Amino acid sequence: MNSLDQAEDLKAFERRLTEYIACLQPATGRWRMILIVVSVCTATGAWNWLIDPETQKVSFFTSLWNHPFFTISCITLIGLFFAGIHKRVVAPSIIAARCRTVLAEYNMSCDDTGKLILKPRPHVQ
């Protein structure tokens, strides 16, 4: 295989990697927004739950029943984590990191957008 073919293969690989990572970005942004909104709702509900003087006077489950906003947002947040939202918000970074691991064996790397970085070859003396 000559160097022209190798260069074309590298360009094709880089193009496909950047396309794949770019394809993940809109979904990743949506998942991040969902996580932020649910986290803020949970934090707000927790604050209201904690400053309520009735919270100390009633049982735990009654307290949760009296604060449905906190209860629902907390259950939603826990459900999102069980559904794997923590992986979905960092999916492009995971793909890039795995590619860097494989590319390191070929004296290459890539940035977070999928652009290849060619490293100089080590000199053997």
Side-chain angles (χ1 to χ4, degrees):
M1 183 181 269
N2 63 27
S3 63
L4 187 59
D5 290 338
Q6 290 173 342
E8 289 299 316
D9 287 345
L10 284 175
K11 288 178 187 176
F13 176 76
E14 180 182 58
R15 189 170 42 252
R16 182 66 183 123
L17 184 58
T18 55
E19 286 173 5
Y20 186 71
I21 290 175
C23 178
L24 290 174
Q25 292 297 346
T28 300
R30 285 190 294 272
W31 284 114
R32 285 180 181 157
M33 288 306 300
I34 290 169
L35 183 60
I36 289 169
V37 168
V38 173
S39 296
V40 168
C41 289
T42 303
T44 305
W47 177 254
N48 290 332
W49 181 55
L50 291 172
I51 64 169
D52 184 10
E54 290 294 314
T55 300
Q56 297 175 358
K57 299 175 185 173
V58 296
S59 71
F60 177 72
F61 291 108
T62 305
S63 176
L64 289 177
W65 185 258
N66 291 339
H67 296 277
F69 181 72
F70 169 68
T71 305
I72 291 169
S73 61
C74 191
I75 290 170
T76 303
L77 185 63
I78 291 168
L80 285 172
F81 274 100
F82 277 124
I85 195 168
H86 57 291
K87 293 178 186 172
R88 292 178 181 167
V89 298
V90 293
S93 301
I94 293 171
I95 299 297
R98 289 180 181 169
C99 285
R100 280 187 206 105
T101 302
V102 173
L103 291 171
E105 294 183 25
Y106 301 100
N107 264 358
M108 291 187 279
S109 186
C110 66
D111 62 8
D112 288 335
T113 63
K115 298 283 184 189
L116 288 180
I117 300 167
L118 301 175
K119 296 179 180 178
R121 291 185 180 191
H123 295 286
V124 179
Q125 292 180 353

